[in-house]
């Protein structure tokens, strides 16, 4: 029987590429995001009628998270894999000049939102003594870089939560692991720079960054290991990237 995977942030980037790959591999999917037109596109593009549903909610809103999870129809309600992917950076400023609204957004989405959805899904995994949680962290959660301050803090928090979940859920046989990518060309920098597409494009100029499909491939690998194998913490960077600040650019 095919596994059911819930993906947060499926409307773009890494989440979207993972949805595409897993749909092609006949997984059952619960695809989440806020942009309804993107969710509709996913249904049109990936659905064979019975393999996916979509949920529209803001992960910052804990009532909305619970309502959405409670609305999942019986055929999809046994969630085998939770892919905690929704998240973004907002701004890239020195800490003394940072916007408090940006800080709130990053901590509310990347940290608290991840906790809300995990809390909503955990009871069924605990009851079944099974399931798999994959957290999308970042190299930003392994190494702080200039002006990354609060985004890095949010991803260090994801690293801590990943470890905490693995420790506390160990007795239930629930697999928990993180995938931590370096620079991936998605809408990430469009969001970080608030729609300044030129500045966003520059982040990935002069080298071959990771593509969202590369990360999707790794997530597929993580999900398809035999039960006794848990990929606990994986870092992946483009070959051109050596650290958060060292990227071999050809211009
Ligand atoms: P994108 O901007 O392309 O995708 C972000 C996704 O998160 C979208 O589907 C968006 O959906 C969803 N999302 C954002 N805010 C909310 C919210 N409040 N409620 C619900 N969903 C939300 O970026 P990426 O694919 O690059 O990012 C995915 C994850 O990967 C993030 O956690 C990011 O931190 C991480 N990451 C990214 C890297 C990169 O270089 N791109 C590197 C390392 C990690 P919608 O707007 O429809 O709600
Ligand atoms: C995204 C990678 O280096 O842009 O998490 O912060 S980076």
């Amino acid at each position: 029987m095919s596994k059911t995977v819930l993906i947060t942030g499926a409307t773009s980037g890494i989440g979207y590429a993972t949805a595409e790959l897993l749909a092609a591999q006949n997984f059952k999917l619960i695809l989440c995001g806020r942009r309804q037109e993107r969710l509709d596109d996913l249904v049109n593009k990936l659905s064979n009628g019975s393999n996916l549903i979509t949920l529209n909610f803001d992960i910052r809103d804990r009532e909305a998270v619970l309502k959405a999870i409670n609305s999942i129809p019986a055929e999809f309600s046994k969630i085998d894999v939770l892919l905690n992917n929704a998240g973004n950076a907002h701004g890239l400023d020195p800490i003394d000049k940072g916007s408090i609204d940006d800080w709130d957004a990053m901590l509310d989405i990347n940290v608290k939102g991840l906790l809300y959805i995990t809390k909503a899904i955990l009871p069924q995994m605990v009851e079944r003594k099974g399931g798999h949680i994959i957290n999308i962290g970042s190299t930003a959660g392994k190494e702080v870089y200039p002006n990354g301050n609060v985004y890095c803090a949010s991803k260090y928090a994801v690293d801590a939560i990943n470890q905490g979940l693995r420790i506390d859920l160990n007795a239930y046989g629930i697999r928990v692991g993180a995938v931590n990518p370096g620079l991936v060309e998605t809408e990430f920098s469009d969001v970080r720079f608030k729609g300044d597409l030129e500045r966003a494009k520059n982040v990935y100029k002069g080298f071959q960054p990771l593509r969202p499909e590369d990360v999707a491939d790794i997530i597929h690998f993580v999900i398809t290991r035999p039960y006794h194998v848990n990929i606990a913490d994986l870092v992946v960077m483009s070959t051109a990237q050596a650290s958060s600040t060292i990227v071999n650019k050809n211009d």
Side-chain angles (χ1 to χ4, degrees), residues 137-140 145 151 155 181-184 188-189 192 203-204 241 244:
S138 170
T139 47
Y145 56 82
Y151 177 65
K155 289 299 182 178
L183 293 155
V184 190
F188 178 85
S189 291
R192 166 168 255 176
V203 174
Y204 310 105
Q241 183 175 12
S244 285

Side-chain angles (χ1 to χ4, degrees), residues 81-149:
V81 182
L82 165 61
L83 178 60
N84 276 326
N85 165 74
N88 277 121
H90 294 259
L92 181 70
D93 303 299
I95 195 103
D96 55 308
K97 301 200 169 58
S99 142
I100 293 177
D101 286 342
D102 284 347
W103 298 350
D104 281 345
M106 290 185 280
L107 296 173
D108 288 348
I109 299 167
N110 303 356
V111 184
K112 290 169 69 183
L114 180 147
L115 287 169
Y116 295 159
I117 189 97
T118 305
K119 177 84 172 163
I121 288 166
L122 260 183
Q124 55 156 287
M125 290 189 174
V126 167
E127 193 184 334
R128 285 201 317 271
K129 293 193 165 44
H132 194 167
I133 300 171
I134 302 169
N135 299 304
I136 302 299
S138 170
T139 47
K142 303 287 184 185
E143 183 194 4
V144 178
Y145 56 82
N147 304 328
N149 44 68

Side-chain angles (χ1 to χ4, degrees), residues 4-184:
T4 299
V5 183
L6 185 147
I7 304 177
T8 65
T11 53
S12 166
I14 294 169
Y16 187 98
T18 306
E20 273 191 310
L21 178 58
L22 296 186
Q25 302 285 328
N26 293 320
F27 284 82
K28 285 173 78 173
L29 299 175
I30 304 169
L31 303 179
C32 310
R34 291 166 303 173
R35 285 170 288 182
Q36 188 58 45
E37 68 288 356
R38 298 277 185 103
L39 293 172
D40 293 342
D41 286 348
L42 282 163
V43 171
N44 292 333
K45 197 170 164 200
L46 305 182
S47 175
N48 65 18
S50 62
N51 65 334
L52 77 83
I53 58 167
T54 61
L55 296 176
N56 184 332
F57 61 91
D58 188 326
I59 205 161
R60 285 174 288 197
D61 180 342
R62 69 161 114 158
E63 299 302 327
V65 171
L66 271 180
K67 200 168 151 207
I69 298 308
N70 289 334
S71 76
I72 295 174
E75 318 85 80
F76 287 83
S77 62
K78 178 182 165 284
I79 296 167
D80 299 293
V81 182
L82 165 61
L83 178 60
N84 276 326
N85 165 74
N88 277 121
H90 294 259
L92 181 70
D93 303 299
I95 195 103
D96 55 308
K97 301 200 169 58
S99 142
I100 293 177
D101 286 342
D102 284 347
W103 298 350
D104 281 345
M106 290 185 280
L107 296 173
D108 288 348
I109 299 167
N110 303 356
V111 184
K112 290 169 69 183
L114 180 147
L115 287 169
Y116 295 159
I117 189 97
T118 305
K119 177 84 172 163
I121 288 166
L122 260 183
Q124 55 156 287
M125 290 189 174
V126 167
E127 193 184 334
R128 285 201 317 271
K129 293 193 165 44
H132 194 167
I133 300 171
I134 302 169
N135 299 304
I136 302 299
S138 170
T139 47
K142 303 287 184 185
E143 183 194 4
V144 178
Y145 56 82
N147 304 328
N149 44 68
V150 177
Y151 177 65
C152 294
S154 77
K155 289 299 182 178
Y156 270 76
V158 172
D159 191 22
I161 292 165
N162 183 58
Q163 294 180 51
L165 286 168
R166 193 165 55 248
I167 293 164
D168 292 349
L169 301 176
N170 173 263
Y172 300 109
I174 298 171
R175 287 192 276 182
V176 180
V179 174
N180 304 283
L183 293 155
V184 190

